[in-house]
């Protein structure tokens, strides 16, 4: 018997696959994307769900990190696996192991060389500002309420100074170490809906808190506290104190990552 | 001194006013509209907030009751008060005593004869059905997810049979006593958005659970389990068991009440 076992061939180990996931989550009850000890994060619940399905310890690579409270409609990750479950069934299996506030929208096999962090060409974020005479009750989890009028034309003029390749050192969280603070914002687009102002930001990548500090600064412009023409000087200062306050996280959502 | 006090006139008691409020709330964390002992309901938190502002025990009259988990964008109530706070400041004062999931959108003085329940001429409700290959994470609190295709054309045909003055006894919660089960649905309108199907119901009033049972029945039609032409027989049965299941509450929202 021992001999037969020794001679018996093991089934060939399945080749490693690289799987890309598109993930949606409600950031309200997550301590952000990135795994942290003893905190519920989107990364940790997705890694646990993958492990429950594949039996393998999963380590996902991410298009980026979202802060605590920030949402995602199209966060992209990838992970290696030897599981033979077809991609379309993998999504359903992972989803059945996830809570209601996070879901895999799509799973697809990608070349082994695909890397969700390094290959991301651009990201689209949306910041939603609720307007009107009264704070919203239904929209409160997905917007930042601003009371009173906003000069959106002034905000648009200010935003034009932020589009392009700039040193955004004035727009990053203090105490966060980042050698290279140059980033490229490809476009800033304003969409006025009935009860809200949505600002879409497309860029190759953003510093920690950068978009929320930009929104906080644009809101100061909208309130007439900062002139649109003052933005170049705020950028040139390379000093966080030159910019406006950090807008709260719940208005921000990662809409899409392009590769 | 005693004499002077005795002679001093009391300030005239302010005349009773009738105040109408338009209220928005997220039904997720409420045990419905109506006050109940030891439950958090929308009515009880609003009455407590009014009391905190006016110092009077408030009893609000409502355009109707929403079930546990049902939302409202335009629930209308009225209450009597002797407070002299102007209506526009009353809303702000009440709001500062309310949690984030409920808000007074508008407050206005109305004639003493106004009664939010009896004077309601029509109500508009919306039921939101999330569609697509995967359940939503961000929209989960405000929609009911239905997997797979829906035959919306068949649902529209079925809905036509429900518009008008009908005995809706087949579409009311069992065990609920209601002498008169005749109601009028003025219109049913379907709006297809990118990821959802919204059904708008306008009518003079609805039985307990009626709209959710209608939606559950229409979804059976959309899935090909009930023929659109079977609706008249379901109405005629006057039996809850003839209709489809009760759709869950979170898809339903009271949009507007007309007076």
């Amino acid at each position: 018997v021992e001999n037969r076992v020794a001679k018996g061939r093991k089934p060939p180990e399945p080749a490693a696959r690289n799987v890309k996931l598109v993930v949606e989550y409600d950031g309200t009850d997550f301590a952000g994307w990135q795994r942290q000890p003893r905190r519920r994060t989107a990364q940790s619940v997705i890694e646990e769900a993958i492990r429950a399905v594949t039996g393998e310890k999963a380590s996902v690579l991410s298009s980026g990190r979202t802060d605590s409270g920030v949402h995602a409609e199209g966060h992209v990750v990838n992970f290696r696996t030897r599981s033979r479950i077809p991609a379309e069934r993998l999504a359903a299996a992972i989803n059945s192991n996830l809570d209601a506030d996070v879901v895999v929208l799509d799973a697809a096999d990608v070349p082994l060389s695909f890397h969700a962090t390094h290959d991301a060409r651009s990201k689209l974020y949306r910041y939603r500002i609720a307007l009107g005479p009264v704070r919203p009750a239904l929209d409160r989890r997905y917007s930042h309420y601003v009371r009173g009028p906003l000069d959106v034309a002034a905000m648009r003029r200010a935003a034009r100074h932020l589009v392009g390749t700039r040193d955004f050192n004035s727009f990053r969280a203090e105490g966060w170490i980042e050698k290279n603070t140059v980033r490229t914002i490809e476009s800033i687009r304003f969409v006025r809906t009935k009860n809200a102002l949505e600002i879409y930001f497309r860029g190759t990548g953003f510093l920690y808190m950068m978009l929320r500090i930009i929104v906080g600064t644009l809101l100061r412009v909208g309130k007439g506290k900062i002139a649109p023409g003052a933005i170049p000087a705020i950028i040139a200062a390379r000093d966080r104190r030159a910019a406006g306050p950090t807008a709260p996280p719940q208005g921000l959502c990662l809409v899409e990552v392009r590769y």
Side-chain angles (χ1 to χ4, degrees), chain A:
Chain A
V1 171
E2 268 177 15
N3 210 18
R4 277 170 65 196
V5 168
K7 275 188 181 164
R9 284 210 227 136
K10 281 197 290 183
E13 184 137 289
R17 291 158 64 192
N18 196 8
V19 176
K20 175 187 164 190
L21 304 179
V22 181
V23 181
E24 173 180 312
Y25 52 86
D26 179 333
T28 311
D29 299 324
F30 288 108
W33 167 262
Q34 195 169 31
R35 186 175 43 204
Q36 297 173 58
R38 291 175 303 280
R39 302 292 297 276
R40 182 173 184 263
T41 71
Q43 181 181 9
S44 58
V45 302
I46 286 164
E47 288 181 345
E48 282 163 32
I50 293 171
R51 188 177 188 165
V53 169
T54 64
E56 302 162 339
K57 186 162 161 40
S59 186
V60 303
L61 299 168
S62 163
S63 53
R65 296 165 293 200
T66 52
D67 311 335
S68 187
V70 172
H71 313 293
E73 289 175 6
H75 196 124
V76 175
V77 302
N78 73 290
F79 67 100
R80 298 289 182 95
T81 179
R82 292 188 176 275
S83 161
R84 283 165 159 160
I85 304 170
E88 59 278 15
R89 276 205 281 140
L90 207 50
I94 294 169
N95 284 339
S96 68
N97 284 279
L98 287 172
D99 293 328
D101 59 352
V102 51
V103 69
V104 174
L105 299 178
D106 189 55
D109 280 284
V110 285
L112 286 174
S113 61
F114 176 83
H115 191 296
T117 321
H118 300 149
D119 296 351
R121 287 201 302 128
S122 83
K123 293 172 198 169
L124 180 66
Y125 276 90
R126 178 185 63 234
Y127 197 96
R128 184 172 165 81
I129 299 155
L131 300 173
V134 181
R135 64 174 168 81
L138 279 161
D139 195 26
R140 74 193 186 286
R141 292 162 64 101
Y142 310 108
S143 65
H144 167 44
Y145 174 60
V146 173
R147 193 181 302 272
L150 273 185
D151 184 345
V152 178
M155 292 170 74
R156 283 181 200 268
R157 287 199 300 278
R160 271 185 223 129
H161 295 291
L162 294 160
V163 175
T165 302
R166 305 270 184 275
D167 183 336
F168 285 100
N169 200 50
S170 294
F171 300 91
R172 74 182 169 99
E174 284 170 294
W176 198 257
I177 294 153
E178 190 83 54
K179 277 185 199 151
N180 179 4
T181 52
V182 174
R183 293 292 184 277
T184 300
I185 297 183
E186 292 163 357
S187 67
I188 303 180
R189 201 161 54 89
F190 290 75
V191 177
R192 186 72 169 84
T193 64
K194 194 186 162 209
N195 295 314
L197 173 66
E198 295 182 337
I199 313 179
Y200 287 84
F201 298 90
R202 187 179 284 284
T204 51
F206 304 101
L207 300 167
Y208 186 59
M209 300 276 189
M210 173 173 152
L211 292 180
R212 289 166 55 194
I213 299 168
I214 287 178
V215 170
T217 306
L218 291 175
L219 285 171
R220 280 282 172 95
V221 172
K223 287 295 186 187
K225 308 282 184 192
I226 295 178
I231 300 293
I234 292 173
I235 297 171
R238 299 191 71 254
D239 182 343
R240 171 70 188 87
R241 290 165 296 179
T246 308
Q250 77 277 3
L252 192 61
C253 183
L254 172 57
V255 176
E256 178 193 78
V257 185
R258 284 200 192 152
Y259 288 93

